Amino acid sequence: MPDPGLIMYEEEFKQIDAELHRLHQQANAKVTFLVDKNGQLISAVGETDNLDTTSLASLTAGNIAATGGMAKLLGEKDFSILFHEGERDNIHISLIGRIILVVIFDQRSSLGLVRLRVKKSVEILSQILQRILQKVDQAKAPTGSGGAPKEQAKSPFSEITEDDIEKLFG
Amino acid sequence: MSFINYSAREINCKIVFYGPGLGGKTTNLQYIYKKTNPDSKGKMISLATESERTLFFDFLPLALGNIKGFKVRFHLYTVPGQVFYDASRKLILKGVDGVVFVADSQAERMEADIESMDNLRKNLQEQGYNLDNLPFVIQYNKRDLPSAVSMDELNQALNPKGVPCFEAVAPQGQGVFETLKEIAKQVILEIKKGS
């Protein structure tokens, strides 16, 4: 398969969450969130109570996919930054490998400040992402090449039965 | 592909409804949306033209319940069926965990069904997937229409491998949840295999 499933472990999740909190504060943003390129929300921080983050995540990924398609037609690899300006709220989107960082902000902040703070966060988030990928690779490698991380060893999914699936549909 | 979050104890899977234009992909999602408990669904998003033809995709997030303490979420997508939206269809297939092919049973749409099935296989291949190795279900929709072709004939044209298939009348919900259940089952069993 071309695109192995993303697996998020507790340790890296906390680091990502901390970085999103830091960015949220330093960029004076309303919301910061991280989405997988396939549209799965990874984490969201800030004023998310009245926000449909699941839909927002899916549309963000659709947006990145569509502009990525446009980029390829022009011979570009990707458009790594997108910015949408509204009357009250604005959205800044940046691509970090296979994940997408989104910052929503209003007049309490500015595009310049957001761009500056995002730049730093992109570096930190790329490092965390790198570590996750290494961990997943290690876990998938045959035994004897470094050992699987603890979480992988006790994967709960190996014991799923048809009964469990039946129950989902009540 | 699926996203497993050990921290939030969630599994997220992406299921794509594929098929020819006006075959009933969006209607499937609308019926699922209508009949699902409000607690377990998110908002349904439709990126459609003014005449309600799908322009980019429809999206419906569903949280069906828990398995082994993990919340299982399905993200259902449809693709635009019209031939000239091929670039969009390719994008939506990215990261897919399972495919439902919604075929139009009417004799006059047989050619469109076959063309769309070939297009699905080709678009998956371009991204390194093989349809034969992916969770896959076929739904023969519009069984109530007078020009509906027999199941044997449809299977011969569209289902040479004999994957699970269902008869449906999507606006009335016939066959809709049966299809969803089968693809969900296959996707979860695939995650089990990978673990």
Side-chain angles (χ1 to χ4, degrees):
Chain A
M1 289 286 150
D3 179 16
L6 182 60
I7 295 178
M8 180 68 63
Y9 299 108
E10 185 95 36
E11 188 186 349
E12 286 78 16
F13 186 78
K14 281 187 181 148
Q15 292 167 354
I16 284 176
D17 217 38
E19 184 53 32
L20 288 182
H21 269 105
R22 203 180 64 84
L23 176 63
H24 175 251
Q25 205 177 23
Q26 293 198 342
N28 238 352
K30 280 176 85 170
V31 181
T32 51
F33 65 95
L34 208 59
V35 186
D36 171 43
K37 252 186 167 179
N38 299 331
Q40 325 272 21
L41 181 70
I42 297 173
S43 180
V45 165
E47 302 163 32
T48 54
D49 284 352
N50 294 314
L51 202 61
D52 181 355
T53 46
T54 310
S55 299
L56 210 51
S58 151
L59 290 171
T60 302
N63 198 344
I64 279 283
T67 44
M70 282 157 64
K72 289 205 174 63
L73 291 177
L74 297 181
E76 285 286 332
K77 192 169 159 273
D78 261 317
F79 291 125
S80 56
I81 292 178
L82 311 179
F83 174 60
H84 303 300
E85 188 177 87
E87 279 181 16
R88 283 177 298 114
D89 291 336
N90 314 294
I91 301 188
H92 185 279
I93 301 173
S94 34
L95 192 57
I96 317 172
R98 60 176 287 177
I99 57 171
I100 306 164
L101 173 64
V102 183
V103 180
I104 302 178
F105 64 97
D106 58 15
Q107 77 284 354
R108 287 172 291 175
S109 183
S110 69
L111 178 58
L113 178 66
V114 169
R115 285 196 72 153
L116 181 74
R117 300 301 190 203
V118 161
K119 215 170 162 187
K120 176 80 187 151
S121 290
V122 165
E123 277 173 34
I124 293 170
L125 290 168
S126 320
Q127 286 164 9
I128 300 172
L129 192 70
Q130 204 57 42
R131 285 201 291 277
I132 295 174
L133 293 178
Q134 274 168 7
K135 232 177 183 175
V136 172
D137 273 353
Q138 264 176 27
K140 288 201 170 137
T143 45
S145 60
K150 265 195 312 217
E151 291 95 328
Q152 189 70 17
K154 55 176 183 190
S155 168
F157 310 121
S158 52
E159 287 161 17
I160 291 175
T161 61
E162 298 225 354
D163 248 15
D164 292 328
I165 300 172
E166 284 293 322
K167 273 186 211 142
L168 279 182
F169 289 86
Chain B
M1 298 305 282
S2 59
F3 168 39
I4 300 173
N5 189 335
Y6 279 91
S7 183
R9 298 194 78 74
E10 276 180 10
I11 313 174
N12 291 278
C13 314
K14 177 172 179 176
I15 294 173
V16 174
F17 286 66
Y18 211 92
L22 293 176
K25 301 175 289 296
T26 302
T27 311
N28 261 271
L29 255 64
Q30 282 167 341
Y31 187 82
I32 294 168
Y33 180 75
K34 206 166 72 184
K35 291 291 170 186
T36 311
N37 180 337
D39 298 339
S40 46
K41 68 184 174 196
K43 214 190 265 169
M44 179 165 164
I45 299 269
S46 283
L47 302 180
T49 64
E50 281 177 11
S51 53
E52 304 210 346
R53 300 297 304 268
T54 305
L55 179 62
F56 194 5
F57 58 77
D58 304 304
F59 168 68
L60 174 60
L62 276 186
L64 288 180
N66 291 292
I67 285 191
K68 305 280 170 214
F70 278 69
K71 190 178 249 182
V72 184
R73 285 179 197 273
F74 290 99
H75 288 181
L76 311 184
Y77 286 83
T78 67
V79 298
Q82 293 178 86
V83 175
F84 57 91
Y85 287 132
D86 200 37
S88 307
R89 274 195 293 278
K90 282 182 198 170
L91 296 175
I92 294 153
L93 282 176
K94 277 188 186 170
V96 66
D97 290 300
V99 178
V100 173
F101 186 89
V102 181
D104 191 324
S105 297
Q106 300 176 91
E108 60 270 30
R109 296 297 287 161
M110 192 78 141
E111 208 172 310
D113 286 335
I114 294 170
E115 191 185 342
S116 178
M117 184 67 91
D118 288 346
N119 177 256
L120 167 64
R121 192 171 280 279
K122 185 178 125 261
N123 282 343
L124 283 170
Q125 238 159 26
E126 265 180 39
Q127 306 198 34
Y129 297 100
N130 180 350
L131 182 59
D132 299 331
N133 301 334
L134 211 60
F136 183 42
V137 176
I138 299 177
Q139 180 188 83
Y140 298 118
N141 194 21
K142 310 197 185 184
R143 297 305 299 160
D144 57 332
L145 295 186
S147 63
V149 176
S150 76
M151 288 290 283
D152 276 352
E153 212 173 317
L154 284 165
N155 268 324
Q156 215 164 25
L158 298 168
N159 192 10
K161 300 265 176 198
V163 303
C165 60
F166 297 90
E167 294 187 74
V169 183
Q172 284 142 44
Q174 189 193 320
V176 170
F177 274 94
E178 290 82 349
T179 308
L180 177 66
K181 195 170 169 181
E182 174 61 28
I183 194 68
K185 190 169 122 188
Q186 287 189 31
V187 165
I188 294 169
L189 290 176
E190 195 61 32
I191 291 176
K192 176 183 173 180
K193 243 196 268 172
S195 72

